[in-house]
Amino acid sequence: MNNIILRYRNIFFLGCFFLLIFENPSFGQTDSVLVIKNEKEKTVPFGTTPEWMVTGAGSQTKGSNLEKSFNVNLANRLYGEIPGLTIQQYNTEAGEDSPNMLSRGISTLFSNSILVIVDGFESSIENLVPEEIESITLLKDAASTALYGSRAANGVLEIRTKRGSNKALQVSFSTQHGIQSSYDLPPFLGSYDYARLYNEALENDGKAPVYSEEDLAAYQSGTDPYFHPDVNWYDEVLRKTAPIRNYNLSFNGGSETVSYFVLLNALSSNGLYKKTEDISDNSINSKYERYNIRSNIDIQVSSKIKANFNIAGAIINKDNPAGNSTAGIFSRLKKIAPNAFPVYNPNGSWGGNNLYSNPLGDIMESGFYSSDARTLQAMLKLTGDLRSITKGLSISGAVSFNDYFQSFSSKTRSYQRFSISENGAGDVTYNPIGENTSLTGNEGGSVKWRRYTLQGILNYNRTFGKNMLRSMLYISGDNYLLRNAETYDLTSFPYRHNHMGGRFSYAWNQKYIGEFSFGVSGSENFPKENRYGFFPAVSLGWIASEENFAENISWLDYLKVRASYGLVGNDDIGGQRFMYNSTYTYGSEYHLGTDNSSIYTIQESAYSNPNLTWEKSQKLNIGFDATILKHLDVTVDVFNEKRSDILAKPYATVPAFLGIELPDLNVGEVTNKGVEVSLFYKSNSQRDLVFSLEGSMWYAKNELTFYSEAPQLYDYMYRTGQMLNQPFGYEAIGFFKSEEDIAGSPLQTFSSEVLPGDIKYKDMNDDGIINQLDIHPIGNTETPTMTFMFRPTFEYKNFDFSMLLQGVAGRTVYLNGDFYQAFQNDGKIGEVALGRWNASNKENATYPRLSSENNANNFGVYSSFWQKNGNYIKLRNVELGYNLPDELMTKWGLLSARFFINGTNLFSLDHLEYSDPEIMNGYPPIRTYSIGCKIQF
């Protein structure tokens, strides 16, 4: 099969060349006699098709909608924009903020990543900007994605960039300036509360207090900042606001022969760390800069040949103080007690101790990190009309090149700090920790990948009376190489994909629609005899509003019912590459001879899977699209997916005592079901006040139906039958109230001693002891089962207003981290611990007793006590704009001029008192306020 595809691919491109050399003056003519009532086009794989003719499930947003949110990463502007698309962001630091994108939830144990296609070719989304995007379409069912074959099961995100038009040159300039600020920083307690509560913790542990009344008084008064400091490390390291800026200049225009769209974009975002570059030569300010360029040119080479040429690139620079250690910095901010040491000692030296470095000293004195990246995407496509063979026939061939390179530069050093002590005479003793060294550079790190793609398409679009036929065949091959080949690991070998497929759509009288599509996909990651697969899909559509009986339904303007069923795949299956081959690793140690010397040799790794294959997804989708009373658009989809051949180890059939590392076999199965509903209402556009209301809701819930688990003693211990990533743990049922309560309860063995105020757990199997046999499903996953959005927009004369509310439900988060674990691992204490259990607060306690020691019973086991409702509703963006009156624009020679104020991530309604429900650790969540303008002339 591989040789056949390669042979015909070469013949195809050779045929393209010869066919395009013949001139045909009738290029662009049609023989349609059917009067089409809706000429709107919708994105489908490898092109567009009339919207009324689409029978698959796809949802779309415009690039202009994404301009309402001010985020560095384009993917983080997609919250709530596309029904069925769930965004999960875990980091807000610019350049490190790529979120998870899920189409209709998750359906597999491994990669659920969406395939991203930009202008027909696989690419990334992170470095695109809204101003260059025409539309983004999420293709969700088998009918809309079958052409992508073994790469389509997780959904496909089709991005179309803007192109030129047959009109005079239009120049557009926009700028946006904003300030970013952090919110939901963890509220840790100050030194006075830390000291008194630490004494309480010591008392609970049967130990003497370490802080005297004089110490507590000094902490409370703040009169001794060096020996009784009270440091808020977040205030010391972070600034209140940081600037973010965006500039955009684009050119759009052309003629019948040449049209063009050119864009230049510059974005700069400063980090929240305090500016230290001007203070210390050993530091650098935190900053992220990106410069984008795009040029899309369309040329009518002759009456029969059209050329499309795209070139786009980005240059990304990122600087960070203290090396690339954001996680380490914020870990120390959450860990160091406020009274551990002062920021500066009396003589101006850095404070510190043997346990922790000084966070402010770290960003000012320990060096810095920079990365420079550039990406380049280029595409050339030639399309020729083959009307000389038959009307409606055309052929195209394209080549795409995508290259990315990132280099890293770090300068590191150690610096000296001092712990201080005071003798009886009032003198200060400085005890040095570490030493000052020179900056040491490391310039060797880099990441590099490139992708080459060849693509050929044969289209045949024809109308015969009331019959409309749209069909296409395509063939493509891509080669992806990660890093440099001289590394000689599994990433040194190129990743290759070969594809071919087709789509055949037929419609009669713009009423009955049928479509068959298929893909044939192959990958080098599977054995030769199992390298290619066939992925078919069929869909039907019925425009019921065109029937005679609908003429009497005055309120129904449009109704299309559609259904699809098909098979697609996922070749990103997890595990290492080439699992169909047996592998051996070096490192097995044998002891030989009288001196018992050791010899290292190779050993067998996991058994191979000679029948390795991709995941298979059978997808059913039923839906309808309707327009009611000319103003309300309704779309509803119900879907059911069965994913099979998921990798899992065969614990159910091979016992562990066999003593081998089991292979991953394609035995796992998952089902995923759900519904999507979208509503859009727009008022009469003839009035001064024009408004629209848009709302969407999508629900998806999965179940792991087979996992080849080892036999369990109790049914509640099985993962099978649960949601993917279902949390398992102990069920907390309150606090122990007394010694008698402890004696009369099942034995808990997580700590050497259990005391009143400790968490009590449920004995699931009633055996009188709490252990691993009591672990069972608790709470929900972090992936929501439901996502919803609501967007109202208003236009009144020259003013406009819009906002986007987005939320999720069916989600649970886990409160781990130092803020929720008072005094554990030499940490500090947060406000959450004020609700602790103690002698005077037994009935209303919301937190276990305090302990100065690491308490495994309360903090060392995964339990429902630390699970919280992760549902939320967030105001993702709000914008108020003003358009200059026509008379002023005419006077100044402008086509349009708009000024606006904007807010992004303004507030959250959730169930967490001390954390953001999305960003719970590391770099804090960001809120942005901005002003801007957009001028066209």
Side-chain angles (χ1 to χ4, degrees):
M1 178 69 78
N2 188 18
N3 292 332
I4 292 174
I5 287 185
L6 290 176
R7 185 183 304 124
Y8 280 100
R9 185 178 68 185
N10 294 333
I11 293 174
F12 183 91
F13 285 109
L14 185 62
C16 288
F17 174 78
F18 285 110
L19 285 169
L20 291 179
I21 66 173
F22 295 104
E23 192 74 33
N24 181 7
S26 61
F27 183 78
Q29 296 181 10
T30 66
D31 59 344
S32 172
V33 297
L34 177 66
V35 178
I36 303 299
K37 299 180 181 179
N38 183 355
E39 297 288 352
K40 291 178 63 177
E41 295 279 318
K42 193 169 184 179
T43 298
V44 295
F46 306 102
T48 62
T49 197
E51 188 175 43
W52 64 267
M53 205 170 176
V54 173
T55 52
S59 300
Q60 182 174 288
T61 189
K62 297 181 294 184
S64 56
N65 289 337
L66 307 184
E67 297 179 25
K68 305 294 184 180
S69 294
F70 202 7
N71 288 292
V72 169
N73 193 310
L74 179 70
N76 291 320
R77 299 176 184 245
L78 292 175
Y79 277 101
E81 291 288 348
I82 303 177
L85 179 65
T86 298
I87 304 296
Q88 294 178 299
Q89 186 183 13
Y90 299 104
N91 193 342
T92 61
E93 183 182 9
E96 308 292 335
D97 53 351
S98 295
N100 289 339
M101 297 190 297
L102 303 174
S103 174
R104 293 180 165 178
I106 59 177
S107 301
T108 181
L109 293 164
F110 300 103
S111 174
N112 286 275
S113 299
I114 296 174
L115 177 64
V116 178
I117 302 294
V118 179
D119 289 335
F121 297 91
E122 183 177 359
S123 188
S124 60
I125 189 175
E126 285 81 2
N127 295 323
L128 297 174
V129 296
E131 291 84 359
E132 65 185 308
I133 291 174
E134 181 67 32
S135 66
I136 298 181
T137 304
L138 178 64
L139 306 175
K140 296 172 280 192
D141 67 337
S144 61
T145 62
L147 271 73
Y148 294 109
S150 64
R151 311 194 66 197
N154 297 329
V156 179
L157 202 65
E158 291 266 2
I159 301 175
R160 294 180 62 191
T161 59
K162 294 179 179 178
R163 311 206 69 84
S165 57
N166 183 9
K167 58 184 179 182
L169 169 66
Q170 290 186 359
V171 180
S172 176
F173 172 77
S174 63
T175 181
Q176 190 171 2
H177 294 252
I179 56 172
Q180 306 171 93
S181 61
S182 60
Y183 66 95
D184 276 343
L185 290 173
F188 286 101
L189 298 177
S191 292
Y192 170 72
D193 288 321
Y194 173 90
R196 69 180 182 86
L197 293 179
Y198 191 75
N199 280 348
E200 180 181 320
L202 291 167
E203 182 181 355
N204 291 340
D205 297 331
K207 300 177 181 179
V210 298
Y211 296 105
S212 65
E213 291 298 327
E214 291 77 12
D215 290 327
L216 295 177
Y219 286 130
Q220 194 169 27
S221 65
T223 55
D224 185 12
Y226 295 111
F227 293 98
H228 293 84
D230 185 9
V231 181
N232 185 324
W233 286 106
Y234 283 93
D235 287 345
E236 296 297 331
V237 171
L238 304 180
R239 48 178 168 168
K240 299 298 182 183
T241 62
I244 181 172
R245 298 168 291 271
N246 185 63
Y247 303 92
N248 188 78
L249 178 64
S250 64
F251 306 86
N252 192 326
S255 64
E256 294 182 357
T257 304
V258 179
S259 62
Y260 53 86
F261 172 78
V262 178
L263 170 136
L264 302 171
N265 180 274
L267 183 144
S268 174
S269 176
N270 290 73
L272 291 173
Y273 294 124
K274 286 188 174 179
K275 299 178 68 174
T276 55
E277 186 176 293
D278 296 335
I279 302 174
S280 171
D281 292 335
N282 299 315
S283 185
I284 197 170
N285 294 335
S286 176
K287 183 168 58 176
Y288 174 89
E289 294 179 333
R290 188 179 68 218
Y291 304 93
N292 285 65
I293 183 171
R294 173 172 293 278
S295 175
N296 292 348
I297 300 175
D298 304 318
I299 304 173
Q300 195 69 53
V301 179
S302 68
S303 59
K304 64 168 181 150
I305 302 175
K306 185 175 182 179
N308 308 107
F309 178 65
N310 295 0
I311 186 166
I315 298 174
I316 306 105
N317 303 315
K318 179 175 170 58
D319 298 323
N320 240 20
N324 190 24
S325 59
T326 297
I329 290 291
F330 280 92
S331 176
R332 289 190 285 279
L333 295 182
K334 285 188 173 183
K335 182 72 74 173
I336 302 175
N339 65 343
F341 49 81
V343 180
Y344 297 101
N345 293 319
N347 65 351
S349 62
W350 291 109
N353 61 24
N354 289 316
L355 192 60
Y356 295 113
S357 61
N358 188 311
L360 183 59
D362 290 342
I363 69 170
M364 289 186 63
E365 301 294 345
S366 65
F368 46 89
Y369 161 90
S370 298
S371 69
D372 299 288
R374 56 110 177 100
T375 179
L376 176 67
Q377 304 116 36
M379 184 274 288
L380 174 62
K381 180 179 181 181
L382 294 176
T383 302
D385 182 28
L386 303 182
R387 184 177 292 269
S388 58
I389 299 176
T390 183
K391 293 182 179 180
L393 185 66
S394 64
I395 191 170
S396 64
V399 58
S400 171
F401 171 81
N402 198 338
D403 184 84
Y404 178 85
F405 178 79
Q406 183 179 22
S407 62
F408 308 98
S409 172
S410 64
K411 304 289 192 300
T412 58
R413 68 184 293 269
S414 63
Y415 67 98
Q416 194 170 56
R417 50 202 181 274
F418 297 85
S419 64
I420 58 175
S421 59
E422 186 177 24
N423 59 29
D427 295 329
V428 178
T429 300
Y430 293 86
N431 304 299
I433 303 170
E435 59 182 13
N436 292 319
T437 63
S438 300
L439 286 170
T440 301
N442 182 358
E443 311 294 333
S446 66
V447 172
K448 181 177 182 179
W449 59 259
R450 61 172 60 97
R451 183 188 302 276
Y452 303 97
T453 305
L454 290 174
Q455 184 185 99
I457 301 175
L458 185 67
N459 284 290
Y460 181 60
N461 302 325
R462 191 77 175 269
T463 301
F464 306 91
K466 295 183 178 181
N467 304 278
M468 176 175 282
L469 175 66
R470 297 180 72 90
S471 60
M472 62 88 67
L473 293 171
Y474 91 102
I475 188 168
S476 72
D478 69 75
N479 184 302
Y480 172 80
L481 179 62
L482 177 65
R483 297 183 182 273
N484 296 314
E486 53 266 21
T487 56
Y488 295 110
D489 59 13
L490 290 180
T491 64
S492 303
F493 300 96
Y495 296 77
R496 293 190 175 98
H497 295 95
N498 290 329
H499 298 277
M500 64 181 298
R503 179 176 57 237
F504 306 92
S505 303
Y506 170 78
W508 183 79
N509 200 24
Q510 201 174 355
K511 187 184 303 185
Y512 306 112
I513 310 161
E515 180 177 286
F516 171 75
S517 57
F518 72 94
V520 177
S521 298
S523 167
E524 88 297 336
N525 199 38
F526 303 101
K528 289 183 178 180
E529 62 275 11
N530 202 24
R531 187 157 291 173
Y532 283 86
F534 178 66
F535 302 91
V538 62
S539 59
L540 299 173
W542 173 39
I543 303 182
S545 55
E546 291 296 309
E547 299 288 356
N548 293 333
F549 66 80
E551 295 179 358
N552 299 322
I553 307 176
S554 59
W555 52 269
L556 182 64
D557 303 296
Y558 179 76
L559 174 63
K560 178 173 67 175
V561 181
R562 46 189 169 75
S564 69
Y565 180 78
L567 174 71
V568 288
N570 175 28
D571 64 3
D572 192 2
I573 57 177
Q576 68 178 23
R577 297 182 71 185
F578 315 125
M579 285 182 285
Y580 55 87
N581 286 328
S582 296
T583 58
Y584 298 84
T585 58
Y586 184 80
S588 179
E589 184 178 8
Y590 293 89
H591 296 271
L592 304 172
T594 56
D595 60 351
N596 201 28
S597 60
S598 61
I599 297 177
Y600 290 91
T601 184
I602 61 173
Q603 65 182 14
E604 187 177 21
S605 297
Y607 274 35
S608 64
N609 177 3
N611 298 314
L612 184 70
T613 186
W614 47 81
E615 297 173 0
K616 298 177 179 64
S617 175
Q618 301 175 51
K619 294 189 177 187
L620 171 68
N621 191 95
I622 300 174
F624 71 84
D625 309 301
T627 300
I628 301 172
L629 297 174
K630 302 186 185 305
H631 295 286
L632 177 63
D633 294 330
V634 182
T635 298
V636 176
D637 281 279
V638 178
F639 60 89
N640 188 337
E641 176 186 5
K642 181 180 179 181
R643 186 78 64 96
S644 59
D645 286 335
I646 299 171
L647 285 184
K649 294 188 182 298
Y651 293 121
T653 55
V654 182
F657 60 74
L658 191 60
I660 64 171
E661 186 178 349
L662 297 180
D664 291 308
L665 303 181
N666 300 100
V667 295
E669 296 180 359
V670 172
T671 60
N672 187 33
K673 304 175 182 179
V675 61
E676 299 168 358
V677 179
S678 299
L679 304 172
F680 179 80
Y681 177 86
K682 187 168 185 179
S683 67
N684 193 326
S685 60
Q686 303 302 315
R687 300 176 180 176
D688 287 340
L689 176 62
V690 178
F691 68 91
S692 66
L693 303 174
E694 182 180 2
S696 300
M697 181 280 295
W698 51 102
Y699 172 87
K701 187 172 183 180
N702 60 69
E703 179 184 338
L704 181 59
T705 54
F706 184 74
Y707 190 44
S708 191
E709 295 180 81
Q712 303 292 337
L713 290 176
Y714 304 100
D715 289 343
Y716 58 77
M717 300 178 68
Y718 283 101
R719 263 62 177 175
T720 302
Q722 304 294 332
M723 292 185 64
L724 294 174
N725 303 321
Q726 169 64 50
F728 276 67
Y730 298 94
E731 183 177 344
I733 54 176
F735 301 113
F736 287 112
K737 298 180 180 179
S738 62
E739 294 290 350
E740 292 76 17
D741 187 12
I742 296 173
S745 300
L747 177 64
Q748 297 186 180
T749 59
F750 307 119
S751 295
S752 59
E753 184 180 25
V754 178
L755 298 174
D758 284 338
I759 300 174
K760 180 194 294 189
Y761 301 107
K762 182 177 180 179
D763 186 4
M764 288 294 296
N765 59 356
D766 295 323
D767 65 351
I769 186 171
I770 306 298
N771 56 23
Q772 289 186 341
L773 297 180
D774 299 299
I775 294 177
H776 65 285
I778 54 174
N780 295 318
T781 71
E782 285 196 9
T783 301
T785 56
M786 180 183 294
T787 305
F788 50 89
M789 64 81 73
F790 174 67
R791 172 165 42 210
T793 63
F794 301 90
E795 297 179 13
Y796 180 73
K797 295 184 178 179
N798 289 18
F799 290 91
D800 61 83
F801 173 83
S802 68
M803 60 187 294
L804 175 64
L805 289 164
Q806 182 263 340
V808 301
R811 178 175 182 263
T812 296
V813 295
Y814 197 76
L815 306 181
N816 58 359
D818 299 305
F819 176 77
Y820 295 100
Q821 300 182 359
F823 304 130
Q824 302 298 291
N825 301 307
D826 300 307
K828 50 187 177 181
I829 185 171
E831 287 184 6
V832 64
L834 293 176
R836 68 202 180 281
W837 187 99
N838 57 24
S840 60
N841 185 33
K842 295 182 178 181
E843 300 300 326
N844 299 315
T846 57
Y847 193 88
R849 71 175 178 93
L850 299 178
S851 175
S852 63
E853 303 173 345
N854 289 345
N855 190 312
N857 185 85
N858 296 338
F859 304 104
V861 297
Y862 194 99
S863 78
S864 62
F865 184 86
W866 301 107
Q867 284 186 323
K868 299 298 178 184
N869 188 331
N871 302 345
Y872 63 80
I873 299 175
K874 288 192 173 186
L875 181 58
R876 291 295 181 183
N877 61 69
V878 60
E879 185 170 287
L880 175 65
Y882 175 74
N883 293 278
L884 285 182
D886 292 340
E887 55 270 21
L888 284 180
M889 290 190 292
T890 301
K891 179 179 179 181
W892 295 340
L894 303 177
L895 295 177
S896 66
R898 180 174 180 270
F899 300 85
F900 60 88
I901 57 175
N902 179 282
T904 301
N905 290 332
L906 296 187
F907 73 81
S908 173
L909 301 177
D910 55 65
H911 300 271
L912 301 185
E913 187 175 359
Y914 303 107
S915 300
D916 180 83
E918 291 183 285
I919 313 297
M920 302 185 65
N921 290 294
Y923 207 82
I926 300 296
R927 178 180 292 125
T928 305
Y929 301 92
S930 64
I931 60 173
C933 68
K934 184 174 184 178
I935 300 172
Q936 284 188 315
F937 51 90

